[in-house]
Amino acid sequence: MKRKAGMIFPLSGLPSEEGIGTLGLGTIGFLDFLKDCGFRQWQLLPLTIPDPFFSPYMSPCTMAGNPNYIDLRLLERQGLIKNYSGFHGKKDKVDFQWLKKKRYYLKEGFKHFKDKGDLQDFIDREKSWIMDFCSYQVLCKKYGADWRKWEEKYKYRDVEALKELEKEEAFTFEVFLQYIFYVQYEEIREEARIREIEMIGDLPYSCPVTAMEVWKNPEYFSLDKDGRILHELGAPPDLFSSQGQSWGSPCYNFKRQKEDDFIFWKERFGHMITHYDGFRVDHFRGYESYWSIPFGDKPKEGRRVKVPGKKLLLELEKEFGRLPIYVEDLGALTKEFNLFMKEWEYPGMNVLEFAFDGEDSIYLPHYHSKNSISISGTHDNPPFLLWWEERSKEVKCRIQNYFGFHEDEILEGLLRGVFSSVSYWAFIQLGDLLSKEDTFRINTPGTIGDNWIYRVDGDQLQEGLAKKVRKLLERYGRV
């Protein structure tokens, strides 16, 4: 396997002519920057519709793209919108007021769209989810985002009622949005392919109880007959949270899913394989066992529940062959999960920012294996310079002694720590390359507020920076 390096950064934070990153020229410019640096992979993080706090990991649908990423200039060039005046606000953060205005332009684009045959072809290609999702979206706008509060004919998915819904213009508009999103996304993917950059997706583990996938198949989740959560997914106390985590999502009913040959997971994995060159599987330990919390209890009062992970992965590999994935294997690990990882041999993650939390961490580079990912930090970690500021003097000395760098070369020393690893793949966050004044966190777990909103300025992606990064990647055989 060839040594490679990749970048972690959400599309929402890229430069564009709008109040959010889009599938347009700004993203092509970012691909050029990645190529100049020598990066061969871009991990986009989920492109899904986010939850009310803008997290794409708690999306109403794992397969639907976020229409806010549609590039309006491209629609203008197609003649679908006219008199587009552009965006004139600040571009250091996602502008939520702009996103409300953008809906007007998207409706205008739909009004002028004539290629209805293309929509039908798209429906045929994405039939496992598109009809259910568009019905769900229409109903959310009519009755609110919680399907458990809808009229019974919609709550319990009456076939005739849903057929009538599919005749509405609002339904076709939702199909149009997904069609345009995937057309533009595949164009960006082709631009990446030309530059020999792989698009690495990200498959979330859990589903919000209000999600389309739960509405479609409530029997696959730990719910009562009215859709109330019986057991909630979460995590015990670990490196991310000393109190543990409750995710607000129902546990899976793997026993029921097994009866249907895991079609739920086959559709999810199949979608990712179709649209990405590879992808990260979030919370892979949940495929061996999950942390189940009786609804209303504290996370630490939960228990670990075994799942038929071996049977599930055998079914997936039977369907798709060896999966093009790497796995998130962080948190409170057990002997059983370590054996599960060893059996399946999918590359796991070595997070450098966790390597100095103890005296002899498994994440220290001298413990890395080739079949693994060397990574500065996930989207839940601070970028290097912010992380460095939070370390004690004692820990800073230990890090400097380990890597052998001086106070005036902190950033380069930490980057060397990631790229010099024997791991075949190495990932950093874009924020790891920026100055302390310019950098920012993508997400801080357990907080509400400034998450998933910061953007990078195109002027920060300079040729001089790219040359410095390329020298490092060349030094460690990753170009």
Side-chain angles (χ1 to χ4, degrees), residues 269-309:
F269 275 72
H271 181 83
M272 299 298 291
I273 289 168
T274 297
H275 293 290
Y276 295 93
D277 301 302
F279 55 101
R280 186 190 84 125
V281 176
D282 187 43
H283 195 61
F284 190 63
R285 73 117 49 257
Y287 294 79
E288 180 268 331
S289 63
Y290 59 79
W291 193 251
S292 173
I293 308 164
F295 189 73
D297 286 0
K298 294 180 180 179
K300 64 181 181 181
E301 295 167 350
R303 67 184 182 91
R304 190 153 295 287
V305 176
K306 291 286 291 183
V307 303

Side-chain angles (χ1 to χ4, degrees), residues 259-448:
E259 293 173 7
D260 290 341
D261 295 323
F262 299 108
I263 186 64
F264 174 85
W265 295 100
K266 288 177 181 177
E267 289 177 353
R268 277 185 145 200
F269 275 72
H271 181 83
M272 299 298 291
I273 289 168
T274 297
H275 293 290
Y276 295 93
D277 301 302
F279 55 101
R280 186 190 84 125
V281 176
D282 187 43
H283 195 61
F284 190 63
R285 73 117 49 257
Y287 294 79
E288 180 268 331
S289 63
Y290 59 79
W291 193 251
S292 173
I293 308 164
F295 189 73
D297 286 0
K298 294 180 180 179
K300 64 181 181 181
E301 295 167 350
R303 67 184 182 91
R304 190 153 295 287
V305 176
K306 291 286 291 183
V307 303
K310 182 173 183 177
K311 176 66 175 174
L312 168 58
L313 290 173
L314 284 172
E315 284 288 330
L316 291 173
E317 290 195 343
K318 180 180 177 182
E319 184 84 9
F320 304 112
R322 183 69 174 171
L323 302 174
I325 64 174
Y326 81 89
V327 302
E328 186 266 289
D329 57 341
L330 308 174
L333 307 183
T334 62
K335 178 181 178 182
E336 291 79 10
F337 179 65
N338 289 335
L339 290 172
F340 186 73
M341 283 289 295
K342 187 175 182 180
E343 178 180 6
W344 290 98
E345 295 185 331
Y346 284 114
M349 297 166 62
N350 298 305
V351 180
L352 187 65
E353 291 187 4
F354 292 159
F356 298 92
D357 289 336
E359 291 298 322
D360 194 30
S361 169
I362 62 172
Y363 300 116
L364 287 166
H366 62 266
Y367 288 128
H368 293 187
S369 66
K370 290 183 177 180
N371 186 38
S372 68
I373 314 298
S374 174
I375 184 170
S376 59
T378 74
H379 60 277
D380 287 333
N381 292 91
F384 267 149
L385 291 182
L386 294 184
W387 173 77
W388 180 261
E389 288 293 306
E390 297 170 356
R391 300 307 101 193
S392 68
K393 184 177 180 180
E394 177 187 356
V395 171
K396 286 180 180 178
C397 287
R398 189 146 50 90
I399 296 170
Q400 286 181 255
N401 289 335
Y402 183 88
F403 289 118
F405 62 77
H406 300 291
E407 193 71 29
D408 60 349
E409 54 177 358
I410 294 168
L411 184 53
E412 182 175 334
L414 293 171
L415 291 172
R416 289 201 307 262
V418 176
F419 296 143
S420 64
S421 167
V422 297
S423 300
Y424 282 129
W425 289 4
F427 280 97
I428 63 169
Q429 298 186 60
L430 177 57
D432 293 331
L433 300 178
L434 304 179
S435 68
K436 189 171 68 175
E437 293 72 29
D438 292 333
T439 196
F440 50 81
R441 288 189 74 145
I442 297 172
N443 182 58
T444 303
T447 66
I448 296 173

Side-chain angles (χ1 to χ4, degrees), residues 83-273:
N83 302 318
Y84 173 52
S85 58
F87 172 71
H88 305 290
K90 292 184 178 180
K91 297 183 179 181
D92 59 334
K93 295 182 182 179
V94 173
D95 189 315
F96 294 99
Q97 291 302 314
W98 162 255
L99 297 184
K100 294 177 182 178
K101 182 179 180 181
K102 183 168 185 171
R103 193 80 175 175
Y104 162 80
Y105 288 112
L106 293 173
K107 287 184 176 179
E108 182 188 353
F110 173 63
K111 179 181 175 182
H112 294 114
F113 183 76
K114 305 299 182 185
D115 300 324
K116 297 298 191 286
D118 290 347
L119 291 188
Q120 187 56 55
D121 291 343
F122 176 70
I123 289 172
D124 292 341
R125 289 196 305 272
E126 305 291 341
K127 58 186 175 183
S128 69
W129 64 274
I130 187 65
M131 301 296 280
D132 290 301
F133 172 73
C134 293
S135 295
Y136 170 88
Q137 286 291 89
V138 172
L139 291 168
C140 282
K141 290 175 175 60
K142 284 186 176 184
Y143 304 114
D146 190 341
W147 59 268
R148 298 171 298 178
K149 298 178 181 178
W150 295 348
E151 293 180 38
E152 289 210 353
K153 64 180 178 180
Y154 297 126
K155 177 179 178 179
Y156 296 112
R157 298 175 52 82
D158 178 78
V159 174
E160 292 303 318
L162 293 182
K163 281 185 178 179
E164 285 300 310
L165 203 67
E166 292 168 10
K167 298 176 183 178
E168 296 185 14
E169 184 177 78
F171 178 91
T172 310
F173 175 59
E174 296 296 335
V175 177
F176 164 79
L177 292 178
Q178 292 303 309
Y179 167 75
I180 293 294
F181 170 89
Y182 274 104
V183 166
Q184 291 192 359
Y185 168 76
E186 291 298 337
E187 289 172 351
I188 289 293
R189 189 178 176 193
E190 179 58 28
E191 294 289 344
R193 195 175 287 124
I194 290 169
R195 293 160 177 79
E196 298 184 317
I197 294 170
E198 296 173 332
M199 302 284 267
I200 306 299
D202 202 321
L203 179 61
Y205 180 71
S206 61
C207 290
V209 69
T210 55
M212 180 277 285
E213 287 138 309
V214 183
W215 171 61
K216 179 182 176 182
N217 294 114
E219 68 276 14
Y220 289 164
F221 299 85
S222 180
L223 305 173
D224 68 14
K225 60 182 179 62
D226 295 314
R228 290 187 291 261
I229 298 176
L230 297 176
H231 294 89
E232 183 180 4
L233 283 169
D238 61 14
L239 293 170
F240 284 108
S241 173
S242 61
Q243 301 300 312
Q245 301 176 53
S246 294
W247 298 341
S249 302
C251 292
Y252 288 111
N253 184 347
F254 278 97
K255 181 178 179 181
R256 180 64 182 83
Q257 291 179 359
K258 184 179 177 181
E259 293 173 7
D260 290 341
D261 295 323
F262 299 108
I263 186 64
F264 174 85
W265 295 100
K266 288 177 181 177
E267 289 177 353
R268 277 185 145 200
F269 275 72
H271 181 83
M272 299 298 291
I273 289 168

